[in-house]
Amino acid sequence: ANPDTRSADTLVESVTLFHFGTLIMDQSMMTYRRGLGTQVEIPVTGAFIEMRDGEHILFDTGMLPHGCDDGKHVTMSQYRSLVVKYEPQDDIRARLAEIGRTPDDIKIVIQF
């Protein structure tokens, strides 16, 4: 087929968004010198893209904070801290299992 006539075709079968936990930090860690003292919650997300050809793509793998069952305080520096809220179901392997997939089903990983 002519590539110009296939513009409506796609190799993407589905996209599944994942929640991989939450980071709680001082806003000033993300907005230089603004919001000092204001706590913000930032969801950690990713996506599994199921491709028609079977070469599935994972955007981000989430966090793997070992021993972090009910939230963990991680010191970033003398003045700043980061709280990681991470439950066992936030693990990438658990999220993939929810949709009947395993890490072996992933061909490409895009980490950011």
Side-chain angles (χ1 to χ4, degrees), residues 16-22 44-48 58-70 84-104 106 111:
T16 303
L17 300 178
F18 293 129
H19 175 77
F20 295 130
T22 304
V44 178
T45 60
F48 178 80
L58 179 67
F59 277 89
D60 212 333
T61 57
M63 304 181 288
L64 291 174
H66 300 288
C68 189
D69 294 331
D70 58 357
V84 177
K85 290 173 90 176
Y86 183 82
E87 301 293 331
Q89 67 269 18
D90 295 329
D91 185 280
I92 181 58
R93 294 162 290 210
R95 294 295 185 204
L96 286 169
E98 290 174 358
I99 61 169
R101 296 291 184 174
T102 70
D104 291 336
I106 299 166
Q111 188 69 36

Side-chain angles (χ1 to χ4, degrees), residues 1-2 12-13 27 31 34-35 50 53 56 60 75 77-78 89-90 107:
N2 182 341
V12 176
E13 289 288 327
Q27 181 181 334
T31 55
R34 296 184 189 268
E50 185 175 359
D53 63 5
H56 309 312
D60 212 333
T75 301
S77 75
Q78 180 179 357
Q89 67 269 18
D90 295 329
K107 175 71 174 182

Side-chain angles (χ1 to χ4, degrees), residues 21-78:
T22 304
L23 302 174
I24 301 171
M25 66 180 69
D26 192 284
Q27 181 181 334
S28 65
M29 291 178 69
M30 306 226 11
T31 55
Y32 182 68
R33 300 177 83 187
R34 296 184 189 268
L36 184 62
T38 301
Q39 293 288 306
V40 294
E41 289 193 26
I42 302 165
V44 178
T45 60
F48 178 80
I49 301 173
E50 185 175 359
M51 304 298 289
R52 187 179 305 152
D53 63 5
E55 295 197 5
H56 309 312
I57 302 169
L58 179 67
F59 277 89
D60 212 333
T61 57
M63 304 181 288
L64 291 174
H66 300 288
C68 189
D69 294 331
D70 58 357
K72 181 177 182 178
H73 183 267
V74 179
T75 301
M76 298 296 288
S77 75
Q78 180 179 357

